[in-house]
Amino acid sequence: MAESNADQANDMKHDSADSPGVSDQEKEMATNAFEAFTAGNYDESLKQLESLQELNKEDYKIAMNKAVAEFYKTGQATTGTLKQTLMTIKNQVHSAVEDIDGLDDVENSILYYNQAIIHYHMRQYSEAISIGEKLYQFLEPFEEKFAQAVCFLLVDLYLLTFQPEKALHLLTMLEKLSVQGSSKNGKGDGNNSTAKESAAQKAEFAAIIEAAKSRIHHYKVRAYIQMKSLKACKREIKSVMNTAGNSAPSLFLKSNFEYLRGNYRKAVKLLNSSNIAEHPGPLKTGECVRCMFWNNLGCIHFAMGKHNLGIFYFKKALQENDHTCAQLGDGKNGQAKKFTGIPMCALLANKRYELLYNCGIQLLHIGRPLAAFECLMEAVQVYHSNPRLWLRLAECCIAANKGSSEQETKGLPSKKGIVQSIVGQGYHRKIVLASQSTQNTTYSEGQSAAIPVASMEFAAICLRNALLLLPEHQQHESKPDNGSKSSSQSGSTESGSENSDACSGKGQEGDKFIPAAPSSPLRKQEVENLRCCILACSAYVALALGDNLMALNHADKLLHQPKLSGSLKFLGHLYAAEALISLDRISDAIAHLNPENVTDVSLGVSPSEQDQGSDKGDLEPVETSGKQTPLCYPSTVSSARAMMLFNLGSAYCLRSEYEKARKCLHQAASMVNPKEIPPEAILLGVYLELQNGIFKAHILNYIKMSNCSTTVAT
């Protein structure tokens, strides 16, 4: 967008020279100032503008041109100062973008456009879109070049805010403008200019049209990638490769396309074939291509299930990003100096927080929740309105406090841990069983729960934030998580999540969405499933903290959700039953533990069907992602019902209905592999046999079960 800023500055110079009622002397000064500015002689341009301002002190456009010239004189490194100057000028002319209601106000359009450009580079996208949409309403009276600049700015903003449908509508308008421009250029203007000048003008105009067409194809590919419309994207990719060749941006876009198709090896091959060394640096493009290269490799390996390789590449991307920021002078000197000393076009080059988000999700999958927590805590300082990010933080806390995948909060480490020791010999030989801890949760003593540490107390706060950020009384459908996407003209690849490789499903035009930066927004169909995941985690955390009433409340809300996956329904019944048992409401708990409540344990719609669907358009076989459901989760309805029966037996045991408890225990044991019987069920069997007065044979059989080394967590 820096180039657009230069174009806009040129337009402003022309405005000063062509204003009505201007003397020949003023026109000459304005022309000289413009020529000096174009030649890069900013001192001479400022000198001419100061002389011009002495003759016409009331024209605010001269002051605006001075501000732009001074901005370019400093190497575009005083963005904050320019923003403040333009705001002062706007207040002087008593004009606000909301007040544009007719063509009479269009003469201030350059001022509005300047402000939109600055908002864009400062990542203030909502403000920039507000200004751009107002300018778009009065596009006809603008010069063609300026109209194109406004449209391209809006397209970029729509793609950065994940509104591809609006971007495609604008791109259609830009195509019409290009066609109209080509026809006008072909007819000629019929003036008295020489043939050489006319031919030069036509050649220059044709080059501008071709550049615009190339940009349109690039933007279309980015829009179709966001929409997961792969058939249309495949057509546009061919146009991009024909116009741009094997340039780094075009190869990055094609790699992203193959990534979405599931052709991960081809995506890696395309990335490796891009010559990133020849790509201009962030000072010209505002993008660190090396950083995006490593990030995209990390995302692809994440999708392949190679998480350790993925985190290796993400760390490389972070190193490149830090190196680029150091070169640009982004030295973390505080908010006051945030936009000082860095060229405006390079303000968007820093992708640190997007990369930290990707690292955090990757580390969570590797099984390093504490490291993931540190990354996500840094990211949440910027993306604090993302409910998915708060959920991931809570999951880090849960994983850090849960321990290994074989350990449960209130259970025993493994079946081998059931037998603590053997005392005595012969007839007096006794087996000492390990006692189950009554409270496994470590509370933060003398420390506020709001302090960001990986504790269950902080997990409860994170989950509360996530729920508050979701809309109320709306029915949606969602996927649990998506990853970050470094949106750029080079087509950066997205990071995946637990159950999804791509960010959002196909969007319907007019869909409302909830911003969830740095990943894609939550569309209508995505929110409800996210709410279910948050409620399930909230119930689990409340149980771990001993807050049984709150756990029951969350579990009941979860079970009353309109669109609930079978796996979360299973967990909802288990959590509700555990809370009710702790509240001494065993009869109500037994109703929740009915095995007939479990009819499905699926995690919902598969990511490939939801994201790509019938629009996949691929003839080639796709690679498997490598992701699998966690082993500790019941993978079949039979094993899930067995878990319910084990817990139902415990409930009956609490009511001293030992025969019913024994029946449930035997029925559950017959439904699963003996190696999958949890240690709690073995202890329950021992207790029931002791209650029945049997002290030898049956108990020894149960104890022998504890020699099994593998288990499935309940």
Side-chain angles (χ1 to χ4, degrees):
M1 293 312 298
E3 294 171 353
S4 299
N5 202 21
D7 292 339
Q8 135 245 313
N10 297 344
D11 291 336
M12 288 190 290
K13 304 292 179 183
H14 285 302
D15 262 351
S16 298
D18 298 337
S19 299
V22 178
S23 65
D24 292 339
Q25 183 185 4
E26 290 174 335
K27 285 184 179 179
E28 184 180 357
M29 287 181 177
T31 303
N32 292 337
F34 171 69
E35 290 175 352
F37 180 87
T38 306
N41 190 355
Y42 304 121
D43 289 325
E44 179 63 26
S45 179
L46 284 168
K47 183 179 177 181
Q48 294 289 340
L49 287 171
E50 286 171 0
S51 301
L52 186 61
Q53 195 171 32
E54 291 177 1
L55 298 176
N56 190 353
K57 295 183 178 180
E58 295 182 358
D59 191 351
Y60 77 91
K61 294 180 182 177
I62 299 174
M64 182 166 58
N65 286 343
K66 278 185 63 180
V68 172
E70 288 172 353
F71 175 66
Y72 273 80
K73 182 182 175 181
T74 62
Q76 304 181 37
T78 54
T79 309
T81 305
L82 179 61
K83 181 183 180 182
Q84 188 61 40
T85 304
L86 293 179
M87 185 65 67
T88 304
I89 293 172
K90 191 191 79 168
N91 294 335
Q92 287 175 354
V93 298
H94 304 291
S95 176
V97 68
E98 293 82 6
D99 300 333
I100 302 178
D101 54 5
L103 298 180
D104 295 337
D105 296 319
V106 174
E107 64 177 13
N108 298 324
S109 58
I110 299 292
L111 174 60
Y112 301 137
Y113 179 73
N114 279 343
Q115 289 184 311
I117 286 286
I118 293 173
H119 285 310
Y120 167 86
H121 285 285
M122 288 186 166
R123 304 177 192 249
Q124 298 167 352
Y125 302 132
S126 299
E127 292 86 346
I129 288 174
S130 176
I131 295 172
E133 287 178 344
K134 283 289 184 181
L135 290 175
Y136 179 73
Q137 294 176 11
F138 306 101
L139 205 61
E140 290 185 6
F142 295 154
E143 291 182 7
E144 186 174 341
K145 192 175 181 182
F146 182 68
Q148 275 191 359
V150 171
C151 289
F152 276 127
L153 174 62
L154 261 181
V155 168
D156 222 336
L157 287 165
Y158 284 144
L159 291 175
L160 285 170
T161 53
F162 297 94
Q163 302 180 66
E165 298 87 359
K166 290 184 178 180
L168 285 173
H169 175 74
L170 269 180
L171 290 169
T172 304
M173 176 66 68
L174 278 167
E175 282 184 322
K176 291 179 181 177
L177 287 174
S178 299
V179 171
Q180 292 172 2
S182 298
S183 61
K184 287 180 183 178
N185 187 38
K187 291 178 182 178
D189 52 9
N191 57 21
N192 296 326
S193 60
T194 64
K196 280 187 177 181
E197 290 177 350
S198 178
Q201 288 175 359
K202 285 184 178 181
E204 182 183 355
F205 193 80
I208 293 173
I209 294 296
E210 284 302 314
K213 286 181 179 178
S214 179
R215 288 183 71 185
I216 288 170
H217 287 310
H218 272 263
Y219 281 126
K220 276 191 171 182
V221 172
R222 290 176 60 192
Y224 287 134
I225 282 174
Q226 285 190 11
M227 296 171 66
K228 309 297 181 292
S229 183
L230 299 187
K231 283 184 180 178
C233 186
K234 191 173 185 178
R235 291 193 298 268
E236 289 299 327
I237 282 284
K238 291 180 180 178
S239 300
V240 168
M241 300 306 292
N242 289 334
T243 56
N246 290 330
S247 63
S250 59
L251 288 172
F252 272 50
L253 286 171
K254 191 171 183 181
S255 174
N256 199 340
F257 169 68
E258 296 296 342
Y259 165 83
L260 292 180
R261 295 172 74 186
N263 297 329
Y264 302 125
R265 287 188 176 87
K266 192 171 182 180
V268 172
K269 186 178 179 181
L270 286 165
L271 280 178
N272 288 329
S273 65
S274 61
N275 192 352
I276 58 178
E278 293 182 358
H279 192 267
L283 286 175
K284 289 188 176 181
T285 63
E287 296 173 343
C288 177
V289 179
R290 289 181 179 276
C291 172
M292 288 185 289
F293 171 80
W294 295 116
N295 174 71
N296 291 359
L297 280 177
C299 295
I300 293 169
H301 284 86
F302 174 89
M304 296 171 71
K306 299 179 179 179
H307 301 305
N308 287 294
L309 265 178
I311 195 62
F312 170 77
Y313 289 126
F314 283 140
K315 287 181 178 178
K316 294 277 286 184
L318 272 171
Q319 290 171 4
E320 284 291 343
N321 186 78
D322 293 342
H323 178 66
T324 301
C325 291
Q327 286 184 326
L328 295 174
D330 187 4
K332 299 182 181 180
N333 293 323
Q335 289 295 113
K337 298 182 180 179
K338 185 175 180 181
F339 301 114
T340 304
I342 308 170
M344 184 178 71
C345 61
L347 289 176
L348 295 174
N350 187 359
K351 302 291 183 185
R352 176 173 178 78
Y353 296 101
E354 292 94 325
L355 293 171
L356 284 170
Y357 183 91
N358 282 352
C359 282
I361 299 298
Q362 189 79 276
L363 287 166
L364 192 55
H365 280 77
I366 293 175
R368 295 170 58 188
L370 293 177
F373 181 81
E374 294 299 325
C375 291
L376 295 179
M377 271 309 303
E378 194 168 344
V380 83
Q381 296 176 36
V382 177
Y383 303 114
H384 46 77
S385 60
N386 184 350
R388 283 185 292 215
L389 181 48
W390 287 108
L391 175 60
R392 298 304 146 218
L393 277 169
E395 289 179 344
C396 290
C397 298
I398 292 170
N401 284 274
K402 186 179 177 182
S404 67
S405 59
E406 295 181 351
Q407 185 181 15
E408 289 299 314
T409 8
K410 294 185 178 180
L412 296 169
S414 66
K415 291 182 182 179
K416 287 187 176 181
I418 292 177
V419 179
Q420 183 172 319
S421 62
I422 298 176
V423 180
Q425 294 179 353
Y427 183 79
H428 300 285
R429 183 169 175 261
K430 301 188 184 306
I431 298 173
V432 180
L433 302 181
S435 61
Q436 189 173 5
S437 59
T438 57
Q439 186 64 47
N440 194 46
T441 306
T442 304
Y443 287 86
S444 303
E445 297 180 2
Q447 178 175 290
S448 171
I451 294 176
V453 293
S455 64
M456 297 298 272
E457 292 86 352
F458 188 70
I461 294 176
C462 293
L463 292 167
R464 198 176 307 131
N465 290 344
L467 276 178
L468 289 172
L469 288 168
L470 292 179
E472 292 293 335
H473 309 298
Q474 294 185 22
Q475 295 186 6
H476 306 268
E477 185 181 355
S478 164
K479 289 168 287 184
D481 183 34
N482 307 299
S484 167
K485 175 178 170 63
S486 299
S487 300
S488 68
Q489 295 176 6
S490 298
S492 212
T493 307
E494 308 163 29
S495 170
S497 68
E498 295 185 1
N499 296 312
S500 171
D501 297 335
C503 282
S504 64
K506 298 175 195 174
Q508 304 281 333
E509 188 166 359
D511 267 2
K512 293 181 180 179
F513 58 84
I514 303 170
S519 54
S520 64
L522 292 164
R523 302 217 176 235
K524 281 185 177 181
Q525 68 272 18
E526 294 180 306
V527 176
E528 186 59 33
N529 194 42
L530 181 61
R531 190 195 309 276
C532 293
C533 292
I534 295 170
L535 286 171
C537 284
S538 298
Y540 180 90
V541 170
L543 284 171
L545 293 174
D547 192 348
N548 299 306
L549 280 173
M550 187 58 70
L552 181 60
N553 181 35
H554 289 311
D556 283 340
K557 283 184 180 179
L558 175 63
L559 293 172
H560 283 89
Q561 293 302 307
K563 294 182 180 180
L564 186 62
S565 67
S567 58
L568 292 179
K569 184 179 179 182
F570 165 72
L571 291 177
H573 283 298
L574 278 183
Y575 295 158
E578 185 171 348
L580 287 166
I581 287 174
S582 298
L583 293 170
D584 201 22
R585 294 167 55 184
I586 298 176
S587 297
D588 294 333
I590 287 173
H592 281 284
L593 293 172
N594 185 350
E596 298 301 320
N597 290 334
V598 182
T599 56
D600 179 29
V601 290
S602 65
L603 298 173
V605 181
S606 67
S608 58
E609 292 176 2
Q610 190 165 343
D611 289 342
Q612 299 171 4
S614 61
D615 195 26
K616 194 172 182 181
D618 296 329
L619 298 177
E620 305 171 20
V622 298
E623 301 175 24
T624 57
S625 67
K627 295 183 182 180
Q628 298 177 352
T629 305
L631 295 176
C632 61
Y633 198 84
S635 56
T636 63
V637 174
S638 176
S639 58
R641 287 184 173 180
M643 298 302 165
M644 296 288 268
L645 284 168
F646 284 134
N647 285 279
L648 182 60
S650 298
Y652 281 133
C653 194
L654 289 172
R655 290 207 309 192
S656 300
E657 298 181 12
Y658 302 123
E659 194 57 38
K660 288 184 179 180
R662 190 178 293 104
K663 184 178 179 182
C664 289
L665 187 62
H666 290 164
Q667 184 181 351
S670 66
M671 296 170 67
V672 296
N673 189 303
K675 293 183 178 181
E676 297 179 358
I677 298 176
E680 294 86 353
I682 295 173
L683 286 177
L684 176 62
V686 171
Y687 178 80
L688 289 173
E689 296 303 334
L690 288 172
Q691 284 289 340
N692 200 30
I694 300 175
F695 300 103
K696 288 188 179 180
H698 287 80
I699 293 180
L700 288 175
N701 288 335
Y702 281 111
I703 297 302
K704 287 177 182 178
M705 289 184 184
S706 68
N707 292 328
C708 302
S709 58
T710 58
T711 185
V712 174
T714 58

